[in-house]
Amino acid sequence: MIIDAETCTGCRRCIPYCTVGAIKLNGKSVFIDQDTCVECGVCLRSEVCQVDSIGQPELSWPRVLRAQFSDPAVRHPTGVAGRGTEEMKTNDVTGRFKEGEVGFGFEFGRPGVGTTFADVEKATRALAEHVEFSKDNPVTLLIDPKTGRLQDNRVRRERVLSAIIECKTSEEKAVEVIRIIQTIAGKIDTVFSVDAINRCVDGTIPVKKHLDKAGIHVRVNGKTCIGLGRPLADI
Ligand code: SF4
Ligand code: SF4
């Protein structure tokens, strides 16, 4: 996103609209820090500028990734709008996570901090040998799933509002995966949360006993399928 210095009056009204603090003051004029801007489109869509000084130039690769991951109005090549797949959280239609498996979602940059793909890659590289990455996830599309490395080095410096790594492993390996993430957490320069998804059996959450034993506290949330999705796979 850019601000037209010729027409901008310097009124500052747009500054608080930026999701990541990229609209900055330089003396009396206002500009958008291009390194910080994640191309979320909020400043433009809000129509806060009375003189139409905010504009969206055409984005080329790899900068276009910023908009694809940060602006819900921009379509991602995977067809997934935004950062991750809805199916990860509902496990509703495809039955992605079978009994004995644990799904993981690592949500980088939320809320309101943002992340670079360099930080996302630290996690995908550390996880690669231990998990199976979800095929239709926007982050997976950018990496070599065997090594977790970004396929295009230029992507590393791109910043987005958030990105979700989605993957799965066995219940027995769930603790190992969390330990790996704990090991690299100090090297990651943003906030992130960890979602673990496990199919209930007889009213219990099987992976919880492994996590409890390892001293890993989890907050249990429920997503209840009310039959709107028709399962396409056996569980
Ligand atoms: S596009 Fe988003 S990140 Fe960029 S300046 Fe506008 S509100 Fe801020
Ligand atoms: S709202 Fe428009 S005129 Fe005011 S500072 Fe922002 S870009 Fe400039």
Side-chain angles (χ1 to χ4, degrees):
M1 200 68 67
I2 54 169
I3 288 175
D4 180 357
E6 296 290 317
T7 55
C8 172
T9 62
C11 73
R12 308 182 187 186
R13 285 183 54 169
C14 54
I15 291 177
Y17 282 76
C18 182
T19 52
V20 291
I23 305 179
K24 295 180 177 167
L25 261 179
N26 182 14
K28 288 187 178 168
S29 59
V30 171
F31 72 102
I32 294 177
D33 177 340
Q34 293 301 304
D35 277 345
T36 308
C37 172
V38 293
E39 305 290 1
C40 69
V42 169
C43 54
L44 185 62
R45 275 200 305 279
S46 68
E47 299 182 345
V48 61
C49 184
Q50 306 292 295
V51 292
D52 289 336
S53 291
I54 300 175
Q56 176 70 80
E58 193 171 334
L59 300 173
S60 56
W61 179 268
R63 190 170 179 93
V64 70
L65 284 169
R66 298 189 185 220
Q68 290 172 348
F69 277 77
S70 309
D71 184 344
V74 173
R75 192 172 173 78
H76 191 277
T78 57
V80 175
R83 310 151 298 108
T85 62
E86 188 67 18
E87 178 68 358
M88 178 189 77
K89 288 182 177 170
T90 62
N91 201 31
D92 193 6
V93 176
T94 62
R96 184 178 299 175
F97 310 121
K98 312 277 189 295
E99 280 187 25
E101 294 178 337
V102 178
F104 279 106
F106 301 96
E107 305 197 33
F108 278 64
R110 272 206 311 179
V113 179
T115 183
T116 61
F117 282 107
D119 273 332
V120 173
E121 187 191 36
K122 286 173 195 164
T124 53
R125 288 183 66 175
L127 291 167
E129 278 182 34
H130 309 274
V131 300
E132 179 187 333
F133 293 108
S134 294
K135 290 187 179 56
D136 50 357
N137 166 275
V139 171
T140 306
L141 192 76
L142 299 173
I143 61 170
D144 173 350
K146 289 202 176 80
T147 63
R149 290 182 75 98
L150 287 165
Q151 296 185 44
D152 183 337
N153 290 337
R154 294 173 298 168
V155 169
R156 212 165 272 141
R157 63 188 297 258
E158 295 302 331
R159 273 176 57 79
V160 294
L161 203 51
S162 67
I164 305 181
I165 300 166
E166 295 172 67
C167 56
K168 69 178 181 180
T169 189
S170 65
E171 279 169 10
E172 291 71 27
K173 288 179 79 176
V175 169
E176 189 182 343
V177 167
I178 290 176
R179 293 292 185 225
I180 288 166
I181 285 297
Q182 286 176 326
T183 305
I184 63 161
K187 297 176 189 157
I188 291 173
D189 187 23
T190 187
V191 293
F192 68 92
S193 60
V194 178
D195 315 315
I197 304 105
N198 194 210
R199 190 174 286 277
C200 285
V201 178
D202 298 330
T204 67
I205 306 169
V207 74
K208 195 165 178 305
K209 67 175 182 290
H210 297 289
L211 301 177
D212 286 344
K213 200 171 159 191
I216 298 169
H217 172 71
V218 292
R219 194 182 56 163
V220 176
N221 288 326
K223 291 263 181 176
T224 306
C225 170
I226 57 172
L228 295 176
R230 176 183 295 174
L232 300 175
D234 294 332
I235 58 171

